[in-house]
């Protein structure tokens, strides 16, 4: 979680200084979801991600150096610098890709789960998405089939309260969990700021899917500290500064875990060391990317699809 937090703060710094092209959607505040869920997976299990996906990628084992290289458009990036922040994929760690289309990976994740079941590999697929994706019809099609065919897929809804600049209560009729429940899908809600609660719940649902008991839907209640994207600086027109401050001060996932670890006898020095190591890794990764070469112009029509 410390690594993800440091990564996102560095991304914001690169944007503010005009070094990173394009935009990024920061994951700060939601770290416990990615870490808790991915911690419950095997290395060969799959995930699909979102436009706010850096945390998912890192939690599943992505390289910091290659992540930064992709964001800066460098050849060493996961998509050779051609995908950018919202299209990072790493099949070697089971990451089938982030997706700039809201809810766009639901079909990919469910298809991968169908493949895993047909092949008998015992793999489980996690589909990450935000609450705004519940406005996409594709989700209801794939959840229907996943339940009918008892596919090993876990749908993880990261409810950070806002669909871009609109509170989800203004866009989503009824209860979020009422939707998967309509298909008979097992559904649970967890505090997305508590990494231990996320991990324990995800572990149980993942093993359930691995045993052939079908899909599940996990709603993780969380919060994004920054704006919808790095350019969304003044947010007072859609959410109060007091709300942001309250989440940062009382519901920060890193602090919640740190407090528990201190109670268990872990020293403050150990926690500081973890933070320092994360900062050092991020700085080294960013430096690598800043000095890495861009792809050759001859590649302009390679690795792209139309």
């Amino acid at each position: 979680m410390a690594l993800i937090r440091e990564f996102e703060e560095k991304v914001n710094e690169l944007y503010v200084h005009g070094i990173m092209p394009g935009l990024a959607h920061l994951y700060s505040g939601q770290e416990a979801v990615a870490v808790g869920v991915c911690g419950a997976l095997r290395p060969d299990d799959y995930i699909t991600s979102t436009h706010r996906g850096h945390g998912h990628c890192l939690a599943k084992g992505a390289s910091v150096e290659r992540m930064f290289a992709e964001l800066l458009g460098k050849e060493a990036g996961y998509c050779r610098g051609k995908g950018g922040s919202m299209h990072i994929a790493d099949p070697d760690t089971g990451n089938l890709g982030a997706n700039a289309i809201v809810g766009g990976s639901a079909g990919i994740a469910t298809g991968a789960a169908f493949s895993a079941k047909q092949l008998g590999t015992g793999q489980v697929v996690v589909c990450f998405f935000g609450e705004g994706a519940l406005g996409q019809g594709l989700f209801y099609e794939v959840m229907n089939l996943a339940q009918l065919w008892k596919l090993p897929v876990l749908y993880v809804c990261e409810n950070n309260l806002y669909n871009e600049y609109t509170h989800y209560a203004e866009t989503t009729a009824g209860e979020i969990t009422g939707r998967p429940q309509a298909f008979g899908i097992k559904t649970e809600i967890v505090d997305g700021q508590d990494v231990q609660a996320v991990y324990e719940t995800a572990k149980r649902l993942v093993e359930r899917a691995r045993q052939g008991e079908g899909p599940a839907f996990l709603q993780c209640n969380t919060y994004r500290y920054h704006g919808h994207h790095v350019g969304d600086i003044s947010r007072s027109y859609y959410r109060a500064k007091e709300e942001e401050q309250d989440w940062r001060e009382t519901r920060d996932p890193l602090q919640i875990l740190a407090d528990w670890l201190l109670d268990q006898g872990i020293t403050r020095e150990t926690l500081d060391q973890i933070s320092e190591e994360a900062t050092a890794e991020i700085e080294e990764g960013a430096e690598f990317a800043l000095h890495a070469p861009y792809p050759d112009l001859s590649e302009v029509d390679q690795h792209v699809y139309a």
Side-chain angles (χ1 to χ4, degrees):
M1 288 196 294
L3 190 71
I4 295 170
R5 178 69 59 85
E6 291 293 331
F7 183 90
E8 295 297 62
E9 296 307 314
K10 189 65 177 182
V11 170
N12 195 44
E13 178 185 320
L14 293 171
Y15 172 78
V16 170
H17 287 86
I19 298 172
M20 184 188 75
L23 297 174
H25 303 74
L26 303 181
Y27 198 71
S28 300
Q30 302 183 202
E31 295 90 348
V33 179
V35 173
V37 171
C38 289
L41 299 177
R42 297 188 327 205
D44 65 333
D45 286 333
Y46 292 126
I47 68 166
T48 62
S49 185
T50 71
H51 59 277
R52 197 178 309 282
H54 302 161
H56 309 141
C57 299
L58 290 168
K60 197 61 171 68
S63 155
V64 167
E65 291 184 347
R66 294 189 67 188
M67 290 274 290
F68 275 123
E70 186 59 39
L71 266 62
L72 296 182
K74 301 301 183 70
E75 184 181 12
Y78 277 109
C79 299
R80 300 184 70 83
K82 299 176 182 179
S85 170
M86 294 186 280
H87 300 98
I88 293 173
D90 180 22
D92 290 341
T93 61
N95 178 3
L96 299 181
N99 205 305
I101 300 172
V102 174
S105 73
I108 298 170
T110 308
F114 176 76
S115 173
K117 181 170 184 178
Q118 291 296 102
L119 295 172
T121 61
Q123 292 164 292
V124 172
V125 185
V126 168
C127 178
F128 288 104
F129 58 96
E131 79 290 334
L134 294 172
Q136 297 283 14
L138 172 64
F139 256 109
Y140 306 103
E141 297 180 44
V142 299
M143 283 195 294
N144 180 59
L145 291 178
Q147 178 67 353
L148 283 173
W149 297 340
K150 293 293 183 283
L151 301 183
V153 56
L154 174 59
Y155 299 105
V156 177
C157 177
E158 297 184 273
N159 179 14
N160 64 21
L161 302 182
Y162 293 92
N163 306 172
E164 288 196 39
Y165 318 117
T166 306
H167 195 283
Y168 83 98
E170 299 180 46
T171 64
T172 309
E175 295 295 328
I176 288 175
T177 51
R179 295 157 185 240
Q181 287 170 350
F183 296 103
I185 292 176
K186 182 174 179 58
T187 304
E188 297 203 25
I189 301 175
V190 70
D191 179 2
Q193 305 306 86
D194 184 344
V195 67
Q196 295 181 89
V198 174
Y199 170 75
E200 293 298 336
T201 307
K203 182 179 180 182
R204 179 162 34 82
L205 296 177
V206 165
E207 289 310 309
R208 176 181 177 275
R210 208 182 302 282
Q211 297 303 316
E213 296 182 47
F217 185 103
L218 178 59
Q219 178 181 327
C220 299
N221 294 325
T222 185
Y223 197 80
R224 56 171 164 85
Y225 289 167
H226 293 279
H228 172 60
H229 55 71
V230 285
D232 178 17
I233 305 299
S234 177
R235 298 175 291 280
S236 57
Y237 64 94
Y238 71 88
R239 71 184 195 189
K241 294 297 182 183
E242 293 77 13
E243 178 184 289
E244 294 184 0
Q245 183 177 357
D246 182 62
W247 276 88
R248 283 179 179 269
E249 293 180 354
T250 67
R251 302 296 303 140
D252 182 75
L254 275 72
Q255 191 59 52
I256 290 172
L257 180 60
D259 290 343
W260 182 84
L261 290 171
L262 290 170
D263 287 343
Q264 302 305 306
I266 301 298
T267 64
R268 173 59 66 181
E269 289 73 19
T270 298
L271 296 181
D272 290 342
Q273 182 180 353
I274 291 172
S275 179
E276 290 168 5
E277 290 175 355
T279 300
E281 184 174 349
I282 294 305
E283 290 298 328
E284 290 172 7
E287 282 299 309
F288 166 83
L290 287 167
H291 296 96
Y294 289 101
D296 190 82
L297 287 176
S298 63
E299 291 190 18
V300 68
D301 60 351
Q302 297 176 17
H303 318 110
V304 294
Y305 301 86

